[in-house]
Amino acid sequence: MSKTKNISKKVPNGRTLQTRDEYLGSGKGKKNIKPEHPNPNDLYRRVTVIDSNIQNELAIIKLGTKGRHSLKKYLTGKSKYNAYIEIEDNNGNRIKIDGVRFVENSSKRDISKEDVTEMKKYALKSKETSSRLRNDNKQILHKLKNRK
């Protein structure tokens, strides 16, 4: 077992970022997903880091007002999410904080460790999440951590 863990030293789990849906891998090929946000500099989508690797590449889950699961301790329970883990941007590159498309929020906006653990549990182990999505999420995290 190695002495160094394969997690980012710069970006903690629970840190939130601002981006746009079309910058995420799930928004690949889509233009201006939110027409009410015509300003291309408006980073309206909040995402949270649930895991990372030593190269500061991030695994994220999108947050919003609609979703299957809610974060009771974060923003008075108004934030919700679905258990889809993403590690790639719309160009097929790993997600990293670049200050342009993925902008780090202040630590005041962080999600608690308990909520991050709950999000990972729903994404990877919960019977409420389909077995296919659980397996996909596990493979995505293995890919992020460079495991076979």
Side-chain angles (χ1 to χ4, degrees):
M1 194 162 168
S2 68
K3 293 183 180 187
T4 58
K5 291 188 174 186
N6 191 5
I7 57 172
S8 173
K9 300 211 183 309
K10 292 181 180 178
V11 186
N13 290 353
R15 180 61 42 96
T16 59
L17 312 173
Q18 293 295 130
T19 188
R20 293 177 65 89
D21 286 340
E22 55 262 29
Y23 295 155
L24 299 171
S26 60
K28 191 175 196 173
K30 299 177 183 171
K31 296 284 184 216
N32 204 7
I33 292 172
K34 294 261 189 181
E36 66 271 16
H37 287 83
N39 180 355
N41 299 322
D42 183 16
L43 301 175
Y44 57 83
R45 173 64 66 196
R46 184 173 294 164
V47 298
T48 187
V49 176
I50 62 152
D51 210 342
S52 60
N53 66 17
I54 201 81
Q55 290 93 20
N56 299 315
E57 297 169 343
L58 310 173
I60 55 132
I61 290 181
K62 292 192 301 187
L63 301 176
T65 55
K66 297 177 180 138
R68 188 169 188 177
H69 312 288
S70 64
L71 297 170
K72 294 165 186 69
K73 297 176 188 168
Y74 186 68
L75 295 179
T76 63
K78 292 179 184 168
S79 237
K80 297 184 178 189
Y81 66 95
N82 288 318
Y84 295 100
I85 297 175
E86 296 192 51
I87 62 169
E88 293 182 347
D89 65 11
N90 59 340
N91 297 325
N93 300 320
R94 297 286 174 89
I95 294 173
K96 287 186 169 191
I97 295 172
D98 60 8
V100 178
R101 297 181 320 146
F102 296 95
V103 179
E104 186 175 14
N105 288 328
S106 76
S107 60
K108 294 176 187 172
R109 293 280 192 182
D110 282 3
I111 292 176
S112 70
K113 290 194 185 313
E114 295 85 26
D115 280 342
V116 172
T117 303
E118 182 180 314
M119 291 171 84
K120 281 180 86 168
K121 181 185 85 175
Y122 275 120
L124 300 172
K125 296 180 181 175
S126 176
K127 297 291 183 200
E128 291 179 33
T129 307
S130 73
S131 62
R132 182 176 180 188
L133 180 57
R134 287 193 313 256
N135 288 335
D136 288 350
N137 285 338
K138 286 175 189 172
Q139 288 176 350
I140 286 169
L141 285 183
H142 280 286
K143 187 176 174 184
L144 176 77
K145 298 287 191 173
N146 295 320
R147 294 180 183 144
K148 300 294 180 225

